[in-house]
Amino acid sequence: LPGAAKTTSTVLRWRQLSHDGPNYDEWAIDHIRVMKAATARNAVPEIGTLFSEDFYSFPTIDRTKWLYMIGGTTRVPDCGKIDLSGHSPEAAFFSATGNRSIETQALDLRFAQTLSFRVQIGGGIGCEDADSGEDVVVEFRTLRILSYTEIAKLDYNGYRTAKTVTLPVPVAA
């Protein structure tokens, strides 16, 4: 995460840039974690979880964590699944017409070290593969600044099978 994202009121958003319509270019995310930076009292970053989501609130999102979900639902994806061993196969799955995005409630990310999540863009059994330009981006904004800043662009071609993405927060940030 960029240093500018380390505020007491940061919103994270995942969205697909474009798609060919309903039931095309599906994508899903799951197992989202924002981990706290190590301190003298907390030498192991994994102990400090600032945000955690496995989409167990099937069939809706947990409104204490998410501001909105557009074009998606929490369920077992129609095409393949995003799964980490021992976790539920439910995910935030996006396949509808129009915008496809999900945005967190405001988070205190002042002490964030990493953002990680599982993602798949098309490629599963029964999924229509995404095409050029149908990438998924991870963005942030603060409550004071309404425009979004891109953190990462997930190329449509690199995530046809579920992969874990980990984005570090610079120590100097």
Side-chain angles (χ1 to χ4, degrees):
L1 297 175
K6 295 180 78 173
T7 74
T8 58
S9 57
T10 302
V11 174
L12 299 173
R13 176 172 77 170
W14 289 256
R15 71 181 175 98
Q16 189 170 31
L17 296 176
S18 68
H19 57 82
D20 294 329
N23 302 314
Y24 286 94
D25 317 312
E26 298 97 341
W27 65 281
I29 59 170
D30 195 15
H31 201 67
I32 300 169
R33 300 287 182 273
V34 177
M35 303 309 294
K36 186 159 103 176
T39 65
R41 286 179 279 149
N42 180 19
V44 181
E46 287 73 26
I47 292 173
T49 303
L50 297 172
F51 180 83
S52 176
E53 179 63 278
D54 289 312
F55 297 101
Y56 294 138
S57 56
F58 177 78
T60 61
I61 57 173
D62 180 344
R63 292 289 180 186
T64 65
K65 295 179 179 183
W66 299 100
L67 186 60
Y68 68 79
M69 177 190 293
I70 299 173
T73 184
T74 58
R75 64 184 170 127
V76 177
D78 292 338
C79 52
K81 66 180 180 176
I82 292 185
D83 193 14
L84 292 174
S85 182
H87 292 277
S88 168
E90 285 86 22
F93 177 68
F94 299 85
S95 66
T97 301
N99 292 330
R100 296 177 180 174
S101 63
I102 188 167
E103 184 173 301
T104 67
Q105 295 284 354
L107 303 172
D108 183 348
L109 299 184
R110 290 174 296 165
F111 304 107
Q113 183 176 25
T114 59
L115 165 64
S116 66
F117 53 93
R118 297 277 290 169
V119 63
Q120 182 172 331
I121 306 171
I125 298 169
C127 270
E128 195 269 333
D129 283 331
D131 304 308
S132 180
E134 296 169 343
D135 310 310
V136 172
V137 293
V138 184
E139 303 168 310
F140 81 92
R141 69 174 175 87
T142 65
L143 292 183
R144 283 188 248 148
I145 301 171
L146 298 180
S147 60
Y148 291 89
T149 300
E150 186 176 296
I151 299 169
K153 181 187 273 188
L154 309 175
D155 184 270
Y156 74 98
N157 206 27
Y159 297 91
R160 292 182 183 194
T161 60
K163 293 182 183 171
T164 299
V165 175
T166 301
L167 305 170
V169 177
V171 176

